[in-house]
Amino acid sequence: MTTRRSIDTVLAHSGGEPEDRHGAVNPPVYHASTILFPTMSAYERSRDPATRFDVVRYGQLGTPTTFALEQAIAAIEGGYRSMLLPSGLAAVTTALDALTKSGDHILMVDTAYASTRKFCDAVLPRRGVRTTYYDPLIGAGIRALFETNTTVVFVESPGSITFEVQDVPAIAAAAHEKGIAVLMDNTWASPYFFPAFERGVDVSIQAATKYIGGHSDVMMGTITTTEPLYERVRTTVAELGHCVSGDDAYLVLRGLRTLGVRLERHHRNAMRVAEWLCTRAEVARVHFPALASDPGHTLWSRDFTGASGLFGVTLAPAPKSAVAALLDGLELFGKGVSFGGFESLAIPMNPAPHRTATRWQAPGGGPYIRLHIGLEDPDDLVADLARGFGRMHGAGAS
Ligand SMILES: *Cc1c(COP(=O)(O)O)cnc(C)c1O
């Protein structure tokens, strides 16, 4: 490549070369377990340790379809190489497993994805690895938490329940002074809105289930690393036996092509709905760093190039029956976990139990809901929510 290309161009032109597949724009879906070799020497060459992860030699270790998606992910992440995992959670746990050993200590952000916490609490102790949770707003103050055996700092910014923005460059600079690796769950922004490697991250993890897949029809995770960490992580992925199907790799690669246009629309729609919510008496606070009123807005403006469609809302105090009246009658917002698809979602959440290093104090004290703003017309979404607030009042909210 002679010039550095924009991520929009990379999204359209990555993932292998059409001339390597009879000119087809997209890679074919390979369904393969056994791979046959014509001769003994070809078989032996395929097992050369220097290239063992780069050749098609057994379905579990990759096919041309999965290699195409890996190349595309690495290109948009701006990292050295990428690996595909069967879920976002598998990507988180495998990266943590690969980069820790018995006796190590890790620092985990207090606002991490709930299942990431569960892995740190339930599985890492069995591996002899200790976790300390830290305040997402700690910034360079993370230095005070480093121990002689700290090997990993894990960031997730913003947190996907309460949306605190972390000072990732400051945390990364502090960690690198001590040779500590910085792992990031970058699912909320995706590489499109947060260039993790330019911000000092060593390992960028995506739940590709969310925005990268983008259509609520596939589970996948990705891990992208710098060159020095690649061998260790790739070896662990292979040792644990993680792999994805060609069909799923194809779906994710297909979703990836429109990541930019979808995310820009998610951003615009979410701004419209969030700004409207800010005007409503039923709402105590909207937790969305793209809003100028959000405490994370300054850091978000400095480090991110946009916002996705996921944010939180603290309602004014209201009984549970009033929240049910709001959510149950919504016609355009589905009730379900996950996000990143083309459709809007609304679920009740309680952020408090998911923390140990910090306390979640709901500003205004009312119930908490999380919204995913999809690709519908935002005026229709606003009208749906407005009718919901009407039902809330009917159900006894003040
Ligand atoms: C959904 C999610 C995950 C896990 O991804 P799955 O594909 O559902 O396993 C990890 N981190 C964040 C921030 C997520 O939102």
Side-chain angles (χ1 to χ4, degrees), residues 86-92 112-116 156 158-160 185-188 205-210 218-221 310 338-339 370:
S87 69
L89 181 58
V92 169
Y113 179 67
S115 300
T116 300
E156 182 183 329
S160 63
D185 183 333
N186 189 20
T187 298
W188 182 85
I205 297 159
Q206 303 288 334
T209 308
K210 311 291 168 57
V218 63
M219 303 293 304
M220 199 174 293
L310 189 76
S338 199
F339 57 91
R370 192 180 73 176

Side-chain angles (χ1 to χ4, degrees), residues 111-135:
T111 42
Y113 179 67
S115 300
T116 300
R117 279 190 88 98
K118 215 171 285 168
F119 180 78
C120 293
D121 295 341
V123 180
L124 285 183
R126 297 207 302 267
R127 308 268 215 264
V129 176
R130 195 164 49 83
T131 301
T132 300
Y133 292 96
Y134 68 88
D135 183 341

Side-chain angles (χ1 to χ4, degrees), residues 164-186:
E164 290 86 345
V165 180
Q166 297 193 252
D167 191 340
V168 174
I171 290 171
H176 291 159
E177 284 167 12
K178 298 283 181 196
I180 297 170
V182 179
L183 278 57
M184 177 169 193
D185 183 333
N186 189 20

